[in-house]
Amino acid sequence: MRIKEIIVVEGKDDTAAVRRAVDADTIETNGSAISEEIIERIKLAKEKRGVIIFTDPDFPGEKIRKTITQHVPGCKHAFLPRKAAIAKDGKGIGVEHASVEDIRQALANVYEETTEWKEEITFDELVAAGLIGGELAKKRRQRLGERLKIGYANGKQLYKRLKMFQISKGTFYAALEQVMREETNDA
């Protein structure tokens, strides 16, 4: 599978993992302190071929994603579920630990960022759905993020991502229904 866009990853090991899964070019940020030179390279890549941000599903990865989004608006985003990014020995989380299939799946479900955000799902609806506040909220957000392929997010981030990626009410509630069904089956 050939990817037209240039994929932004965190490091060499992520590039190696991506290239095992797909035929693609990458730009490595080399950590969360992204240099101006890297930002300029990402801007050029977006202009010429498009960019997919594909960072680790952890705090530093989210920080990198946020930094790039601020400096280079309109990028595409690929998200890897946390459980797919955990090292075999349980020590470490990252794109480099994901299977070829999980990487292909994440890159097949890319979201395009939009700057004209239209609110489909309100913050109050997230609270009412038990996604913000309450003991099950974190687990529900985690499952919902996997279902919608937008990654794990805290309450405020979830609200923002739902708008940013223009997730429709129908898609949101269908995914939420699956999450609630899974929760019932777990009990």
Side-chain angles (χ1 to χ4, degrees), residues 73-123:
C75 292
K76 293 179 181 179
H77 296 261
F79 295 93
L80 196 59
R82 271 183 90 77
K83 67 180 179 216
I86 296 171
K88 302 254 184 288
D89 63 7
K91 295 181 179 133
I93 187 164
V95 169
E96 73 270 21
H97 303 301
S99 71
V100 164
E101 191 47 48
D102 285 329
I103 290 171
R104 285 181 182 156
Q105 184 79 38
L107 292 170
N109 292 290
V110 169
Y111 279 93
E112 193 157 354
E113 184 186 320
T114 178
T115 49
E116 290 153 35
W117 297 351
K118 188 178 84 210
E119 182 180 75
E120 284 250 355
I121 298 107
T122 67
F123 196 81

Side-chain angles (χ1 to χ4, degrees), residues 39-105:
I39 291 292
E40 289 307 313
R41 198 174 307 154
I42 294 169
K43 283 180 182 174
L44 181 64
K46 183 184 174 291
E47 194 181 294
K48 299 293 183 188
R49 289 177 45 195
V51 165
I52 298 171
I53 302 170
F54 191 39
T55 55
D56 297 345
D58 58 7
F59 181 78
E62 282 306 310
K63 186 174 184 266
I64 292 166
R65 189 181 294 277
K66 201 177 203 175
T67 301
I68 296 169
T69 300
Q70 283 174 332
H71 290 87
V72 190
C75 292
K76 293 179 181 179
H77 296 261
F79 295 93
L80 196 59
R82 271 183 90 77
K83 67 180 179 216
I86 296 171
K88 302 254 184 288
D89 63 7
K91 295 181 179 133
I93 187 164
V95 169
E96 73 270 21
H97 303 301
S99 71
V100 164
E101 191 47 48
D102 285 329
I103 290 171
R104 285 181 182 156
Q105 184 79 38

Side-chain angles (χ1 to χ4, degrees), residues 119-146:
E119 182 180 75
E120 284 250 355
I121 298 107
T122 67
F123 196 81
D124 290 342
E125 284 177 284
L126 298 180
V127 173
L131 294 165
I132 298 172
E135 59 189 63
L136 297 173
K138 182 178 181 178
K139 193 171 196 169
R140 285 179 183 161
R141 284 193 311 273
Q142 204 162 2
R143 284 181 165 170
L144 186 73
E146 287 175 18

